[in-house]
Amino acid sequence: MAALRKELPETMTSPETGETLYRDVRAFTVTFKGKSATVELPGYYPTGSNDGIHVGDDMAVTDAALRALKEEVEGIPTPDTIRRVRKKLKLSQREAGGLLKVGENAFDKYERGLIEPSGPTSQLLRLLDQHPELVKDLRMTHKMA
């Protein structure tokens, strides 16, 4: 059953200034190693200022933008990319973790964005994405071990 999202109130009082803050979105730029992406950041903002308070999942858009920049700049796959490649290879999360020797629960954590795969794991995922037939070799090696 999907969790119900609690509707956030339209206003809140700033704990620092006592000023009324309004629920809104503002442009926010995320930068990683010289690359930038601008996102619409939800939060509570005072009139005429971008200094806001962020609650709940507000920062998820910046997290996603940073992950996308890391994928572009350093080749660290995003949780969505990892899930797409794993499904393309027709692997369960447990099987993928076993075949890539990262642990049975690693793909669950990768796909939820709790941890990032190591450099070698990222490279292997990229190669498997480009050459899915190689998963057969991994399965053979895994069975022999």
Side-chain angles (χ1 to χ4, degrees):
M1 181 159 91
L4 295 175
R5 281 190 84 155
K6 185 178 176 185
E7 198 64 34
L8 295 171
E10 289 298 313
T11 63
M12 74 178 290
T13 302
S14 170
E16 293 178 7
T17 66
E19 182 179 8
T20 299
L21 305 177
Y22 299 90
R23 191 81 184 144
D24 200 0
V25 295
R26 303 285 166 91
F28 182 82
T29 301
V30 178
T31 303
F32 181 75
K33 294 192 175 182
K35 290 277 189 176
S36 296
T38 301
V39 297
E40 292 293 315
L41 181 59
Y44 289 95
Y45 298 93
T47 302
S49 173
N50 283 337
D51 295 331
I53 294 177
H54 308 285
V55 298
D57 292 333
D58 288 351
M59 299 301 292
V61 295
T62 60
D63 292 345
L66 179 58
R67 286 189 179 106
L69 290 170
K70 283 183 169 185
E71 184 171 57
E72 181 182 341
V73 173
E74 292 188 338
I76 299 169
T78 66
D80 289 341
T81 297
I82 293 166
R83 184 177 300 105
R84 179 187 58 74
V85 172
R86 179 183 60 78
K87 287 183 175 187
K88 175 181 180 178
L89 299 173
K90 296 180 173 62
L91 298 172
S92 69
Q93 289 179 336
R94 285 194 177 280
E95 185 179 16
L99 288 178
L100 275 64
K101 308 286 189 209
V102 294
E104 290 184 345
N105 296 318
F107 271 75
D108 174 61
K109 293 175 183 175
Y110 296 157
E111 292 178 18
R112 289 192 296 145
L114 299 177
I115 60 172
E116 293 177 343
S118 67
T121 301
S122 295
Q123 289 288 69
L124 185 53
L125 284 168
R126 186 180 59 77
L127 289 171
L128 288 170
D129 191 22
Q130 294 172 354
H131 302 282
E133 70 279 3
L134 294 176
V135 80
K136 291 176 190 172
D137 293 335
L138 288 176
R139 281 190 170 118
M140 294 281 291
T141 304
H142 187 70
K143 285 181 184 179
M144 297 171 104

